[in-house]
Amino acid sequence: MGSIDEIKPWITAGNILGEGPIYLEDSKELCWIDIAGKSISRSRIDAKGGREVYPLPVISTVLAEIEGRPDELILGTENGFALWNWKDKSFRPLVDIWKNDPVMGKKSRLNDGNIDCRGRFWAGSMIGMFGADETGNSSLYRLDSDLSVHTMLDGISIANGLGWNSDNTVMYFADSHDRTVWAFDFDAESGSISNKRAFYIHDGEAVPDGLAVDADGNVWLALWEGYAVLQISPEGEVIRKIDLPVSRVTCPCFGGPDFDELFITSAMLDPERPVGVEGCVFRLKVGVRGRPRNRFVMGKGVTAQDERDSS
């Protein structure tokens, strides 16, 4: 891929904590979140560096498209799940995970997540903005189409990247605190996971962050404080390292007309002390193809939280 100096930002976004990139195939746009900056951005991939940025009322962390609802996204937030509407730029709460646990609700937020092959939204939580306050007190949740929330895994510290192998029999899930990407047997029909084992353990100061899985089943893993994205084989072996000119690499995703481009978000954290191109979005040809991300399937007649509360 060339030297680190040859990799230039695609968009100089200045994100404080850029995260959650997804490629919107229908509109040919990349969309992502600035968690600490409380904003959502999108940019057409045929444009040269331009983007639209909109403020969000709460900390939001991860996003996904919704099947049959092209004007909306579903977001993971500090409270649970919410809807974002592109037409009127509106934000509407959908599910409050911690509604009945206000103590945990004041401390927790969702972090990374993904949609499985049956349209269910998996998202993990963490304590505080950067997860340093508590360890082992967070969970992995699954949001079904009827908006029921299921706790799938406890004892998590910093929930991060999540994805599935090519035939949807294995789920990958990163806990940054453990420096580990875990693998589980995945049952698509029931949405259950079992047989937890270590898939990849990172040796060093950097920690696993977001991830994406390509069409061949390789896992592409961002390294927070690691200046890199790793390509890891289905057997858990590092087969490529892409060096980047930023330390806080947060999340990759595949996109482009042929899904052969890797888009990567990053963070700078301290807006008063920007360092080089920290917080930018990168766009690279990596010689492999990814897969379109699944869309959340929302049940018929399902409404947002504010509509349910007022009925």
Side-chain angles (χ1 to χ4, degrees), residues 34 99 120 124 128 141 148 150 169 195 200 216 276 279 298 308:
D34 184 345
K99 186 176 182 178
R120 297 166 292 220
Y141 302 97
S148 60
H150 307 268
T169 59
N195 190 24
Y200 173 76
D216 296 321
M298 188 176 292
R308 296 196 299 276

Side-chain angles (χ1 to χ4, degrees), residues 9-309:
W10 174 51
I11 294 179
T12 307
N15 294 309
I16 304 172
L17 183 50
E19 266 286 7
I22 62 168
Y23 177 65
L24 310 179
E25 187 175 6
D26 293 343
S27 60
K28 296 181 174 55
E29 295 173 305
L30 188 78
C31 184
W32 70 96
I33 293 279
D34 184 345
I35 296 176
K38 296 197 336 187
S39 68
I40 185 171
S41 296
R42 65 177 177 178
S43 178
R44 289 189 57 85
I45 66 165
D46 57 4
K48 295 184 177 180
R51 66 168 176 146
E52 300 174 13
V53 187
Y54 303 98
L56 296 169
V58 302
I59 292 171
S60 302
T61 61
V62 61
L63 62 164
E65 293 184 277
I66 304 173
E67 186 67 36
R69 299 171 74 153
D71 296 322
E72 290 182 301
L73 297 176
I74 181 169
L75 311 183
T77 76
E78 63 182 292
N79 301 315
F81 298 94
L83 296 177
W84 170 259
N85 188 291
W86 286 118
K87 277 192 172 181
D88 56 15
K89 312 302 184 295
S90 64
F91 175 97
R92 305 176 72 182
L94 188 64
V95 175
D96 187 340
I97 291 177
W98 298 284
K99 186 176 182 178
N100 298 318
D101 190 352
V103 174
M104 186 60 71
K106 288 181 179 179
K107 300 188 293 183
S108 298
R109 68 172 177 85
L110 290 180
N111 195 36
D112 208 343
N114 206 340
I115 311 294
D116 71 21
C117 61
R118 299 300 178 90
R120 297 166 292 220
F121 199 161
W122 295 67
S125 64
M126 59 188 290
I127 303 295
M129 180 58 72
F130 305 112
D133 303 335
E134 295 185 29
T135 58
N137 287 321
S138 295
S139 301
L140 176 65
Y141 302 97
R142 192 192 75 210
L143 178 72
D144 290 357
S145 62
D146 62 357
L147 302 190
S148 60
V149 178
H150 307 268
T151 302
M152 305 304 295
L153 194 64
D154 286 320
I156 295 166
S157 297
I158 304 177
N160 242 308
L162 196 150
W164 290 264
N165 69 343
S166 301
D167 62 3
N168 296 298
T169 59
V170 177
M171 188 182 84
Y172 301 107
F173 171 67
D175 189 329
S176 297
H177 180 268
D178 297 340
R179 290 188 167 83
T180 301
V181 179
W182 300 98
F184 300 82
D185 293 341
F186 177 69
D187 185 289
E189 181 67 27
S190 65
S192 62
I193 53 175
S194 60
N195 190 24
K196 179 182 178 182
R197 68 268 188 193
F199 167 72
Y200 173 76
I201 301 174
H202 188 70
D203 183 19
E205 292 301 316
V207 299
D209 205 311
L211 64 82
V213 183
D214 67 28
D216 296 321
N218 300 299
V219 174
W220 294 74
L221 178 67
L223 292 181
W224 177 269
E225 298 290 3
Y227 291 91
V229 170
L230 303 179
Q231 182 187 11
I232 305 169
S233 74
E235 294 72 39
E237 300 295 328
V238 176
I239 55 179
R240 188 177 357 176
K241 178 184 179 186
I242 298 178
D243 295 315
L244 294 166
V246 293
S247 62
R248 301 179 181 107
V249 185
T250 56
C251 193
C253 82
F254 284 95
D258 298 317
F259 281 88
D260 61 347
E261 297 180 79
L262 196 66
F263 296 86
I264 307 165
T265 50
S266 67
M268 66 177 176
L269 293 187
D270 186 352
E272 301 301 322
R273 299 179 60 189
V275 179
V277 293
E278 300 273 351
C280 293
V281 179
F282 297 88
R283 177 182 182 180
L284 311 172
K285 286 274 192 178
V286 291
V288 301
R289 292 179 185 270
R291 297 173 295 165
R293 286 174 64 107
N294 298 314
R295 301 181 184 191
F296 180 66
V297 176
M298 188 176 292
K300 293 182 179 179
V302 169
T303 57
Q305 182 72 54
D306 53 2
E307 293 175 304
R308 296 196 299 276
D309 289 343

